[in-house]
Amino acid sequence: MLPIYPFCTMTGKLITFEGPEGGGKSTQARLLTEYLRSKGIRVLTTREPGGTPTGEIIRDLLQNDLSKEPLCDATEALLFCASRAQLCSHVLAPALERGDWIVLDRFTDSTLAYQGYGRGFDVERLRVLNAFATGPVTPVLTFLLDIPVQKGLERAIARSGNKDRIESAPVDFHQRLRDGYLEMARKEPGRFAIVNATQPIECVSAEIRRILHTRLDIPGVVASV
Ligand code: Z5A
């Protein structure tokens, strides 16, 4: 039952980037957006949590301890989904209906990986929560930028100089969510593409473009990268 979007016809494409900390999602989302724009495709790029005024406030709550009160795990899961519902309803669904492409830095799989495999919530229940938040907004292609936990955390900390609330979680939490991502990708090979994110930035982006052309038709472009 999808009461929010009863008559939608979504002709755009949603591409998501997922993975553990420090895999280079933001970097690669930016490079892919530039590449698609260079091919004349109308592309919107955004991130989760965030991407709307409400979502950015939720992001601050989640990452920067805004309420000065420990968040319980259920509150955390619901806040990620609340940010997602707002983004889907106000930004993603209208863009897909216009026929635009979207490059999105994290989406529903992050909730399954972090709150499910990481925090221990039942993954199938989280899928129901995700579906409630997204309605019919679904990725056609998901790049899993896979990186060993320690290396990814080192990169993330080197970039920002400190650990945020979730980055500060114990290493076994990060290991569980990385394993969870790999398990999800193996179960859904038609949507996921696993990319070795330990390669240099240019090698990762070349692999992403190659996969893109294998999986999706780029309007007006003959498949050679
Ligand atoms: N979260 C959740 O729990 N549940 C949910 O449902 C959702 C999210 C949606 C969002 O944080 C947090 O929320 C996140 C998951 C959780 N956990 N934490 N913490 P965020 O948006 O601030 O951060 P992130 O998504 O985790 O991003 P990141 O891991 O910190 O970074 P990244 O986007 O993967 O990488 P980057 O910013 O592009 O690169 C990081 C650094 O590495 C930077 O200095 C780059 O120049 C460098 N880099 C990138 N690629 C390379 C390569 N290939 N070689 C060498 N160096 C590189």
Side-chain angles (χ1 to χ4, degrees), residues 34-71:
E34 285 169 12
Y35 177 73
L36 290 170
R37 284 187 180 143
S38 78
K39 300 294 172 201
I41 296 173
R42 225 171 38 215
V43 189
L44 177 148
T45 184
T46 185
R47 66 174 180 183
E48 279 205 356
T52 63
T54 304
E56 291 297 325
I57 292 170
I58 294 174
R59 183 183 179 89
D60 242 8
L61 260 174
L62 282 161
Q63 284 185 252
N64 301 328
D65 205 14
L66 197 64
S67 62
K68 305 282 179 246
E69 168 188 43
L71 295 178

Side-chain angles (χ1 to χ4, degrees), residues 20-28 48-49 59 63 76 80 84 105-107 110-111 114-115 155-156 159 164 166-167 197-201 204:
E21 260 76 17
K25 296 173 296 300
S26 312
T27 305
Q28 295 301 333
E48 279 205 356
R59 183 183 179 89
Q63 284 185 252
E76 180 187 84
F80 280 116
R84 179 165 306 136
D105 188 348
R106 294 197 180 279
F107 195 48
S110 287
T111 300
Y114 281 77
Q115 281 64 56
R155 272 194 201 165
R159 183 203 49 198
D164 68 20
I166 295 176
E167 282 164 359
T198 64
Q199 308 171 81
I201 290 175
V204 176

Side-chain angles (χ1 to χ4, degrees), residues 80-153:
F80 280 116
C81 288
S83 170
R84 179 165 306 136
Q86 191 74 3
L87 186 69
C88 285
S89 144
H90 282 48
V91 178
L92 304 188
L96 293 172
E97 283 178 353
R98 286 195 303 271
D100 292 355
W101 289 41
I102 301 164
V103 174
L104 181 54
D105 188 348
R106 294 197 180 279
F107 195 48
T108 45
D109 300 306
S110 287
T111 300
L112 304 180
Y114 281 77
Q115 281 64 56
Y117 291 92
R119 299 273 190 237
F121 282 113
D122 179 71
V123 169
E124 294 314 311
R125 289 181 75 186
L126 290 174
R127 285 188 198 281
V128 174
L129 206 56
N130 272 340
F132 182 66
T134 60
V137 174
T138 314
V140 288
L141 176 57
T142 296
F143 291 105
L144 170 53
L145 299 192
D146 182 50
I147 186 163
V149 167
Q150 207 59 51
K151 193 172 174 70
L153 285 172

Side-chain angles (χ1 to χ4, degrees), residues 162-219:
N162 59 358
K163 289 182 178 180
D164 68 20
R165 195 179 61 83
I166 295 176
E167 282 164 359
S168 307
V171 169
D172 63 327
F173 166 84
H174 293 280
Q175 189 60 54
R176 282 197 302 278
L177 72 88
R178 181 195 180 199
D179 294 344
Y181 268 126
L182 290 168
E183 184 178 312
M184 289 192 285
R186 278 194 292 271
K187 285 184 176 164
E188 222 185 314
R191 171 169 69 89
F192 274 99
I194 303 174
V195 177
N196 172 4
T198 64
Q199 308 171 81
I201 290 175
E202 316 73 56
C203 298
V204 176
S205 65
E207 189 175 340
I208 286 170
R209 289 198 299 273
R210 185 186 57 72
I211 294 167
L212 178 86
H213 283 278
T214 317
R215 302 278 186 102
L216 300 180
D217 285 333
I218 311 289

